[in-house]
Amino acid sequence: MVSDSYDYIIVGAGSAGCVLADRLTRSGRHSVLLLEAGGSDARFWVKVPVGYAVNYANPALNWGYHTEADEGLSGRASYWPRGRVVGGCSSINAMAYMRGMRHDFDDWAAAGATGWDWDAVHETYRIMEEPGGGPVRVGDLSDQMHPFSGRFLDAARQAGHPPSDDLNAADGIGYYRSTVWRGRRWSAADAFLRPALRRRNLRMVTHAHVTQLEFNGRRATGLTYDHKGATRTVHARQEVILSAGAINSPQILQLSGIGPADLLRRHGIAPRMDLPKVGQGLQDHLAITHQFTTDRRTLNHGLGRRRGRIAAGIRYVLTRKGPLAVPVNQVGGFVRSAPQVERPDIQLFCNPASYEITTDGAVVMDRAGGFILSGQPCRPTSRGAVRIRSADHRDAPMIDANSLGTEYDRQAAIRASRLVRQLSASPALASVTTAPKDDRFPAMNDDDLLQDFRDRAATVYHPTCTCRMGTDAANSVTDPRLRVHGVAGLRVVDASAFPNITSGNTNAPVMMLAMRAADMILQDAR
Ligand SMILES: Cc1cc2nc3c(=O)[nH]c(=O)nc-3n(C[C@H](O)[C@H](O)[C@H](O)COP(=O)(O)OP(=O)(O)OC[C@H]3O[C@@H](n4cnc5c(N)ncnc54)[C@H](O)[C@@H]3O)c2cc1C
């Protein structure tokens, strides 16, 4: 039966929303409505791991945001894909599984997110990942990596970086673990939502674009959404939970009158709650990528040629193995950019493939041998902002990334580039490299490296922190139980709530955060 009243309404069936939909419906005691702006994830290229490259710019699956001109990146406006599909970004991401480091979470707690230190969160990761029992499948695909990837491990050892058998247990360089199971992407929807949808107390509506929250005084009582041309209003008896991601959750709050009062007034929205940090605090990871040609065989020899793609396709269909079953980031990890640096401060990615991305987002692999090395500063300190462009929910919000806004970040950019160069010069890679694609790279000084980073570095698609957890309304948006300050019945549970970005990829910490948030929501049930 279609009801217009539920105990909980979750906005967004992304990484966090799928976790919540599962956890809040388990007991059978609560009715839950899950609203997702996108459509079904039952698509071939969503499920095939290498389909990442196909989905990257597909508007059917993607909000396809662009930042404003970013002064720190030579005035470039960057493309920021965001999943608009069941599973959210976990249905279009690159599947690298990375918990983040102990100090990332200790820093959360220090920033006011009491109870989110490493000692508190690591048990949640263990439960989530438990082999055989946990919902999240973390695949060790090292036996399927391209033979060229072994060279990256040799090169790392020669460059002085320790090997790591499991990047979630120890820093260093090793094979990436991925959310891939039996040759298929294992998204948050596969892990959490699919089993939950069998329950009668969960209803999901896709193509449902939430436009505004409804209130009774300072209590959120429901929301309005557009669905197939009609506007619908639904009521939440307990809570509305925003899990619309780091761009859309602050957008929905601002459209609903919760945000910086001056911004809201500028767009003709009466402030319901002046919360200056809504949308503020944005953090993201940037990576610089260098490509090299080699006389050895790399993935290009298979996937860069039609015949190779057909062979890989047949192998995949018959065995669920081979190049289509393995994400392209094969080797990497966390390293120190200098021996005296206290903690790993740069993440490296090494891909046994090289390619160009066309202006319309298509990934075109090179035909001859090539490989890619990327360096990404782990913990940028710059903070940007997400602000509504107008009071119209159809207008994409303005994303001010404020990249390289601090001296720390500019120095980290140089260190990341130097590390990539050092790795490329190690005997294991230098002996098989015919040339860097940019022949100026070997001789660049620090100024050149910074300029190169400004001209070419790209997002690694990890926007976070736009509705930060913290202690009070002056420095954050939610309290440590993810409740929006000053508003009853409303939480933000997604990447927005991170107090600071974690050192690595963000999907695992988002799912962990949502697992813990669900416990809190159930404990607080009225
Ligand atoms: C291309 C790409 C590659 C990435 N690679 C990796 C990787 O390899 N490893 C990793 O750990 N992380 C990776 N990430 C990041 C990671 O996937 C995200 O940090 C994480 O999925 C974010 O989860 P979330 O729940 O905060 O938001 P999302 O997963 O984005 O979910 C938000 C959901 O809300 C929906 N929504 C938004 N607005 C509305 C609205 N108004 N009404 C209704 N629904 C709405 C969206 O459609 C979406 O489904 C990648 C991300 C991208 C885009």
Side-chain angles (χ1 to χ4, degrees):
M1 196 184 87
V2 177
S3 154
D4 67 355
S5 187
Y6 298 82
D7 291 325
Y8 297 101
I9 302 176
I10 304 166
V11 181
S15 298
C18 289
V19 176
L20 291 175
D22 170 34
R23 309 305 281 187
L24 298 183
T25 54
R26 281 186 158 219
S27 71
R29 286 207 298 272
H30 306 291
S31 62
V32 174
L33 175 66
L34 175 62
L35 297 171
E36 168 53 46
S40 167
D41 59 341
R43 289 166 170 258
F44 181 75
W45 288 119
V46 167
K47 295 299 158 200
V48 179
V50 93
Y52 164 73
V54 182
N55 301 331
Y56 177 75
N58 182 353
L61 303 173
N62 205 316
W63 293 87
Y65 289 128
H66 285 84
T67 67
E68 300 300 296
D70 192 350
E71 204 187 309
L73 297 185
S74 304
R76 288 181 292 137
S78 303
Y79 172 57
W80 277 25
R82 295 279 91 201
R84 182 170 54 189
V85 56
V86 169
C89 287
S90 79
S91 288
I92 66 163
N93 72 10
M95 292 154 283
Y97 187 86
M98 215 56 85
R99 289 172 162 189
M101 296 196 199
R102 166 181 279 274
H103 64 270
D104 296 331
F105 302 98
D106 291 345
D107 289 349
W108 283 20
T114 313
W116 290 88
D117 52 283
W118 174 254
D119 287 339
V121 305
H122 91 274
E123 176 63 7
T124 308
Y125 277 126
R126 199 193 59 71
I127 295 168
M128 203 164 82
E129 301 159 6
E130 194 163 356
V136 175
R137 308 273 159 84
V138 185
D140 174 357
L141 308 174
S142 50
D143 62 337
Q144 293 183 63
M145 301 286 183
H146 192 278
F148 191 90
S149 286
R151 277 186 181 276
F152 296 133
L153 299 178
D154 296 340
R157 218 170 297 121
Q158 290 162 352
H161 307 306
S164 171
D165 279 346
D166 179 356
L167 295 166
N168 284 302
D171 49 70
I173 299 287
Y175 289 113
Y176 272 104
R177 301 274 167 113
S178 302
T179 42
V180 172
W181 177 246
R182 295 190 173 147
R184 287 160 58 97
R185 172 192 292 277
W186 191 253
S187 69
D190 297 308
F192 295 94
L193 180 61
R194 211 82 62 212
L197 279 172
R198 293 191 211 110
R199 299 179 194 138
R200 292 165 60 87
N201 55 332
L202 174 63
R203 178 163 180 251
M204 175 168 72
V205 183
T206 53
H207 302 292
H209 188 144
V210 172
T211 56
Q212 204 165 341
L213 304 175
E214 302 288 327
F215 298 90
N216 182 1
R218 284 283 178 89
R219 162 168 284 279
T221 53
L223 51 76
T224 301
Y225 66 96
D226 283 351
H227 185 237
K228 299 184 175 165
T231 300
R232 295 175 199 277
T233 299
V234 278
H235 300 285
R237 286 185 289 264
Q238 295 270 359
E239 295 190 21
V240 174
I241 306 154
L242 292 180
S243 299
I247 309 302
N248 295 57
S249 285
Q251 180 199 26
I252 295 168
L253 286 176
Q254 291 171 4
L255 288 171
S256 308
I258 299 174
D262 53 344
L263 171 76
L264 306 183
R265 285 202 194 93
R266 220 165 41 240
H267 294 297
I269 297 171
R272 177 172 296 277
M273 173 77 198
D274 180 13
L275 259 189
K277 295 298 181 198
V278 173
Q280 300 290 317
L282 171 66
Q283 291 202 305
D284 186 29
H285 285 136
L286 285 168
I288 186 74
T289 290
H290 286 276
Q291 306 209 25
F292 303 83
T293 54
T294 170
D295 51 12
R296 301 302 156 101
R297 291 181 75 80
T298 65
L299 262 180
N300 296 1
H301 289 84
L303 298 183
R305 301 164 189 209
R306 193 160 171 273
R307 209 174 333 142
R309 283 195 292 273
I310 291 171
I314 293 170
R315 185 170 170 207
Y316 182 77
V317 169
L318 294 178
T319 67
R320 288 273 186 273
K321 291 197 166 173
L324 301 195
V326 184
V328 75
N329 291 320
Q330 300 203 344
V331 166
F334 300 93
V335 297
R336 289 171 173 74
S337 59
Q340 69 275 18
V341 174
E342 205 182 320
R343 294 161 175 161
D345 58 338
I346 306 291
Q347 186 174 359
L348 292 171
F349 299 90
C350 310
N351 303 348
S354 61
Y355 46 79
E356 301 297 334
I357 299 180
T358 64
T359 44
D360 55 1
V363 177
V364 182
M365 263 190 167
D366 297 336
R367 286 172 62 85
F371 65 93
I372 283 179
L373 304 177
S374 299
Q376 168 202 299
C378 287
R379 289 284 303 273
T381 54
S382 314
R383 291 193 182 261
V386 171
R387 299 183 185 91
I388 46 171
R389 196 178 298 274
S390 77
D392 186 339
H393 67 270
R394 289 164 301 192
D395 276 348
M398 294 172 67
I399 303 170
D400 171 12
N402 189 30
S403 303
L404 305 184
T406 63
E407 185 56 23
Y408 174 86
D409 289 358
R410 293 186 283 276
Q411 292 303 321
I414 294 169
R415 292 200 303 273
S417 304
R418 281 208 223 116
L419 264 183
V420 167
R421 187 163 60 192
Q422 185 198 28
L423 191 64
S424 72
S426 64
L429 287 175
S431 62
V432 298
T433 300
T434 43
K437 275 199 185 174
D438 181 349
D439 58 11
R440 295 166 307 161
F441 183 45
M444 283 182 182
N445 63 24
D446 283 359
D447 289 345
D448 299 333
L449 291 174
L450 179 58
Q451 191 57 48
D452 180 51
F453 198 99
R454 289 188 189 284
D455 292 346
R456 295 193 310 108
T459 173
V460 193
Y461 324 113
H462 297 161
T464 53
C465 309
T466 48
C467 302
R468 277 184 281 168
M469 271 188 268
T471 47
D472 57 49
N475 67 19
S476 59
V477 174
T478 78
D479 69 9
R481 295 181 80 78
L482 291 315
R483 296 175 294 209
V484 174
H485 294 304
V487 185
L490 182 61
R491 293 189 214 231
V492 180
V493 179
D494 59 22
S496 325
F498 289 19
N500 49 258
I501 196 164
T502 49
S503 294
N505 315 64
T506 45
N507 191 38
V510 169
M511 293 189 289
M512 176 279 290
L513 177 136
M515 288 268 285
R516 290 170 52 80
D519 290 344
M520 294 173 184
I521 292 165
L522 293 172
Q523 283 158 9
D524 294 348
R526 288 183 298 157

